[in-house]
Amino acid sequence: MKDFIDPFGRSITYLRISLTDRCNLRCVYCMPRDGLQWQPRAEQLSADEILRVVETASRWGVRRVRLTGGEPLVHPLIVEIVRRIASIPNIEEVSLTTNAMLLGRLAQPLADARLSRVNISLDTLDREKFTRITRGGDIDQVWEGIAAAERAHLAPIKLNTVIVRGLNDDELPALARLTIVHEWHVRFIELMPVGNTQDWGDGFPTPSERYVSVQEMRAQISAFDIQPVQTVIGNGPARTFRIPGALGTVGFISPLGEHFCDTCNRLRLTADGKLRPCLDNSNEISLREAVRLGQPLDDHYRQAILNKPQHHKMLATGPAGSQRGMSQIGG
Ligand code: SAM
Ligand code: SF4
C-alpha cells in the first residue's frame, strides 16, 4: 500500500469519522440549547457502510482512524464498529474523541475491541460550571470515565479544553497543574468559528468575542516555566510542553493563529456520508449513493483528496467558516 499524496505534497493517512450528529450534551459553543435539526437516520451511514469507506481509505494510505461526532459513544454499535475497523488490514490505530459521559462502562469493552486511546473533552474543573457549559453534564461521570480509561490502558489520555473568553479562560493554571501528578496530556484549543453564527442562547452568540489566542493562553501559564518536548504519540497539531518534573504535558492547538495546514494529513467523513477535505471547506464529496449501490468508492476518495485546499480561510474574528456545526462535521 502506498501513501496518496495531495496536490500540496501531503500524505493523507488519517481519517476522522463523525459516527453521528447526535449528542447527549449541548455545549454552549457547539450546539444550540435545543440541539440541532438532527439528520434523519436513513441519511446516515450504517456500520456496514462506514466499514466499506474505511476499507477503501485503507487502500489509499489511511492508517489511523478517529471516531467522533456528535458523541460517538451514543452510537448503539460503537463497540462493534471499533472492533471491525481495528481488524482492517493496514489500519494501525483506532482512537476516539468523547465527552466521556458514557466512558465509565464502555472503556473496557472498547479496549477489548482494540481501541487504542481516547481524547476526552473537559473545559472546566468546576462542577457547576461544567453543568452550565455542557447544559446538563455531570463532571463526576467524566472523572469516572477517565479512571475507567486508565484501568483499561487506553493511553495516552488526552484532555481537550477549548478556551472561551469569559467562560473558562481563568482555569488554564488549574488545568495545567493536573499534568504534574497525572500522566495526562492537556491540550488547550482555540475556539473556532464553525457553524456557531446564530444566537445559540445562554449568552453565547458570537465566537469572535470569545476567542483567546494560544499566545494569550501561554502567557497565562508562564509561571510554570513550561519547556518544549518531543511530540506525544498522536498529539498531531499540538505544540507540546512540559512543566519541569511533570508526568504529563501541556499542548496548544491553534487552528487559527498558527494554523497547521502545511502538515494536514486528514480527511473527514461526515455522519451523512460525505468526505470533507477541510474543516472550513464545504467542497464535500458524497459517497452515500455509491456505497448504497455497491459501487467502487475509489474515484470519490481520490477526488476528495484532490479537493483539499492548501490552507483554510477561517479568521478568528471572521464569519463562520462553515455552515455546518462542529458536531455535524466531526470535530
Ligand atoms: N462529543 C465529543 C466531544 O465533545 O469530545 C466529540 C465531538 S466534539 C464536536 C469534538 C471536539 O470539538 C470537542 O473537544 C469540542 O470541545 C470541540 N469543539 C466543538 N465546537 C468547537 C469550536 N467551535 N471550536 C473549537 N472546538 C470545538
Ligand atoms: Fe456534544 Fe461534543 Fe458538541 Fe459538547 S462538544 S455538544 S459533547 S458534540
Side-chain angles (χ1 to χ4, degrees):
M1 180 208 46
K2 280 173 49 183
D3 284 5
F4 191 52
I5 312 284
D6 83 354
F8 303 100
R10 301 168 294 198
S11 293
I12 309 305
T13 55
Y14 179 36
L15 182 65
R16 271 179 100 95
I17 302 177
S18 173
L19 285 186
T20 173
D21 62 339
R22 288 155 172 84
C23 187
N24 47 0
L25 297 180
R26 298 280 182 276
C27 301
V28 287
Y29 54 81
C30 180
M31 281 193 197
R33 177 198 293 277
D34 299 324
L36 292 161
Q37 180 82 41
W38 307 126
Q39 294 157 356
R41 292 204 192 272
E43 288 180 15
Q44 302 206 322
L45 295 191
S46 67
D48 286 347
E49 290 165 350
I50 290 168
L51 260 290
R52 270 207 62 208
V53 177
V54 182
E55 274 160 11
T56 302
S58 73
R59 280 187 273 108
W60 286 94
V62 162
R63 289 189 283 275
R64 292 167 50 222
V65 173
R66 173 168 296 276
L67 303 175
T68 177
E71 174 49 41
L73 299 190
V74 303
H75 194 295
L77 298 178
I78 180 67
V79 175
E80 180 190 329
I81 291 172
V82 167
R83 179 175 300 111
R84 290 177 64 189
I85 294 178
S87 62
I88 294 176
N90 300 334
I91 297 297
E92 295 166 4
E93 180 189 274
V94 186
S95 60
L96 196 136
T97 298
T98 175
N99 62 32
M101 286 292 109
L102 303 174
L103 194 59
R105 63 179 167 81
L106 281 171
Q108 191 59 53
L110 286 166
D112 294 343
R114 291 204 285 131
L115 185 77
S116 297
R117 56 196 177 82
V118 282
N119 288 7
I120 294 171
S121 300
L122 180 64
D123 293 332
T124 177
L125 299 177
D126 181 280
R127 173 188 306 269
E128 187 273 329
K129 198 195 282 185
F130 182 85
T131 303
R132 199 153 29 93
I133 293 177
T134 58
R135 298 192 181 102
D138 175 0
I139 199 168
D140 288 340
Q141 281 177 251
V142 179
W143 296 125
E144 277 172 41
I146 292 173
E150 284 191 315
R151 284 195 299 276
H153 305 293
L154 292 172
I157 290 182
K158 302 199 183 137
L159 302 181
N160 286 349
T161 304
V162 178
I163 295 294
V164 180
R165 191 174 304 288
L167 210 60
N168 62 351
D169 53 336
D170 56 340
E171 290 200 55
L172 282 120
L175 285 155
R177 210 171 282 122
L178 289 177
T179 67
I180 297 176
V181 291
H182 299 284
E183 207 176 338
W184 298 341
H185 304 282
V186 174
R187 290 122 47 93
F188 297 117
I189 303 171
E190 288 178 348
L191 180 67
M192 286 181 265
V194 177
N196 39 8
T197 46
Q198 316 96 1
D199 183 352
W200 280 356
D202 302 298
F204 201 84
T206 46
S208 57
E209 292 165 7
R210 303 301 195 119
Y211 170 79
V212 180
S213 70
V214 291
Q215 289 80 1
E216 192 179 333
M217 297 181 201
R218 270 181 226 172
Q220 290 247 16
I221 57 167
S222 58
F224 289 115
D225 191 27
I226 55 173
Q227 301 296 322
V229 288
Q230 288 296 318
T231 303
V232 176
I233 299 168
N235 234 15
R239 295 201 162 88
T240 309
F241 301 82
R242 193 184 295 278
I243 297 174
L247 296 178
T249 64
V250 176
F252 298 90
I253 302 185
S254 172
L256 300 171
E258 299 170 359
H259 72 67
F260 32 84
C261 304
D262 289 351
T263 54
C264 179
N265 60 353
R266 60 187 64 179
L267 272 189
R268 290 184 151 77
L269 177 67
T270 65
D272 55 351
K274 293 176 176 144
L275 282 173
R276 191 175 171 100
C278 170
L279 198 56
D280 160 47
N281 185 279
S282 50
N283 208 354
E284 296 171 338
I285 304 271
S286 180
L287 294 169
R288 198 173 61 215
E289 200 180 295
V291 90
R292 290 190 177 167
L293 290 171
Q295 294 170 345
L297 306 176
D298 301 77
D299 286 348
H300 299 73
Y301 191 80
R302 203 170 42 229
Q303 189 57 50
I305 293 185
L306 295 175
N307 281 1
K308 263 182 90 62
Q310 190 168 15
H311 50 79
H312 72 69
K313 297 191 173 58
M314 287 184 286
L315 295 171
T317 53
S322 159
Q323 296 311 304
R324 302 235 263 173
M326 211 59 146
S327 61
Q328 294 167 318
I329 301 167

